Structure formats: C-alpha cells, structure tokens
Amino acid sequence: MVQRLGVPLVCDVATASVLADRGVDDSLLENVVYGGVYEGDGWEAKVVEAHHQSAYVDEGVVGPAMAYVFTIGGERVYHMGDTAIFGDIELYGELYEPTVTLIPVGEADGYYAELHPDEAALVADWLPSEHFVPMHYPPGSEKPIHFAHYCEENGVTQRATIHNLDAGDHLNL
C-alpha cells in the first residue's frame, strides 16, 4: 500500500530495514522512536509504546511495538496497535487527550497479546475519548459486542460512543 499510494510509513528502524530489503522505496520509510513526532501534510503522528510481540521471524528481526496518537482535522486519534494492558495507557490519555480511540478487543488469531473485552473496557474507562472503535478481532467474533457490554457496565457509554464497524465501513465525525 505504501508503494502503491506513494505515502510514507511511520515505523521503527527494524520494520523499515525489513521493508527496504523487500523492495519498499527508502524515501517512503520514516524511522521514528518512542516520543518522536512525524509531521505529515496537515497531520502529525506521536509515537507511544504498545505491549506486544513485534517480529519478522524469517528475517530474525525484532522491533519495538508501537502505537500512535494522530492529530488531524481537530481530532486526536489513538491507534493502540495490538497492545496488552499496561498502566501507561492511562497516562497517554492524560497527556494526549485522544478524542477517538481504536482499541483492540481481543484474541485475534495469530496475535500474541491483546486486550480482552473486559480489559479493553477498563482501558476505555481510563481514556477521555468520546468515540471508541473496537479492532483486531476475528471476523464474526462476538468480542466487540462483549466490549460494548462491559463499557455499558462500567459507565463508559454514558460519555462515549462505541462504534462497531464492519469491514469497509467508515466513521464520519
């Protein structure tokens, strides 16, 4: 997609190295580290930590797991990646005040560590977002529904909307 669309990929050095070896144009690979900010045309991405395995097994390369807080069009979107629960997520909410959070809700095939729906609801309670979009679950899974149920139980849905999107759906804010 990076090459086809000619857009930059903001990623760690290990990922950039593997992709360059696979033929991706170096000029499209933007190396960043935790705390780094990449400024695009009308948007920026702040790099924050995520807790999961990040490896290219065939190449024997391991890189850091990353998440991003994007600022675009007056919205701050926290893309949590494939993270497990950890306390600094609450700090990211305080520091970056995301308005939208893309949140993993659990146990997608092939992933090593992710939030389970009840943990994801706890994280949603920590974050000030007005919108939560469940992600990283197997097609046809009940995980997003369970996440929404737990968010209702802990009061998150009194201040935020849960958007269970199907593949190809768009969220217009």
Side-chain angles (χ1 to χ4, degrees):
M1 185 167 80
V2 170
Q3 298 227 118
R4 183 171 46 87
L5 298 176
V7 296
L9 176 65
V10 179
C11 60
D12 66 280
V13 174
T15 299
S17 175
V18 169
L19 293 176
D21 287 348
R22 292 181 180 177
V24 175
D25 183 349
D26 282 342
S27 70
L28 296 174
L29 301 172
E30 299 292 338
N31 298 322
V32 293
V33 297
Y34 296 136
V37 175
Y38 177 82
E39 294 186 20
D41 185 16
W43 61 275
E44 72 175 29
K46 173 81 172 180
V47 182
V48 296
E49 190 174 10
H51 284 210
H52 71 94
Q53 299 291 326
S54 183
Y56 296 90
V57 177
D58 293 341
E59 289 85 353
V61 176
V62 176
M66 294 182 162
Y68 300 89
V69 179
F70 296 95
T71 303
I72 185 167
E75 300 290 341
R76 286 173 310 284
V77 180
Y78 180 14
H79 189 299
M80 296 182 68
D82 298 324
T83 193
I85 196 168
F86 65 104
D88 284 353
I89 294 171
E90 187 170 16
L91 178 62
Y92 299 154
E94 291 176 28
L95 288 172
Y96 309 118
E97 299 178 332
T99 54
V100 178
T101 296
L102 307 177
I103 187 167
V105 297
E107 304 167 306
D109 294 338
Y111 292 95
Y112 299 109
E114 285 199 30
L115 296 173
H116 296 260
D118 57 335
E119 294 170 331
L122 175 61
V123 167
D125 192 40
W126 292 348
L127 297 170
S129 297
E130 300 163 17
H131 305 276
F132 290 93
V133 180
M135 64 174 186
H136 296 177
Y137 53 87
S141 171
E142 297 284 316
K143 301 296 180 184
I145 295 165
H146 295 176
F147 166 68
H149 172 75
Y150 288 122
C151 284
E152 187 175 338
E153 281 185 352
N154 73 8
V156 169
T157 56
Q158 293 177 5
R159 62 165 178 83
T161 304
I162 310 301
H163 302 274
N164 286 325
L165 305 178
D166 291 324
D169 284 354
H170 295 84
L171 177 61
N172 297 313
L173 302 174

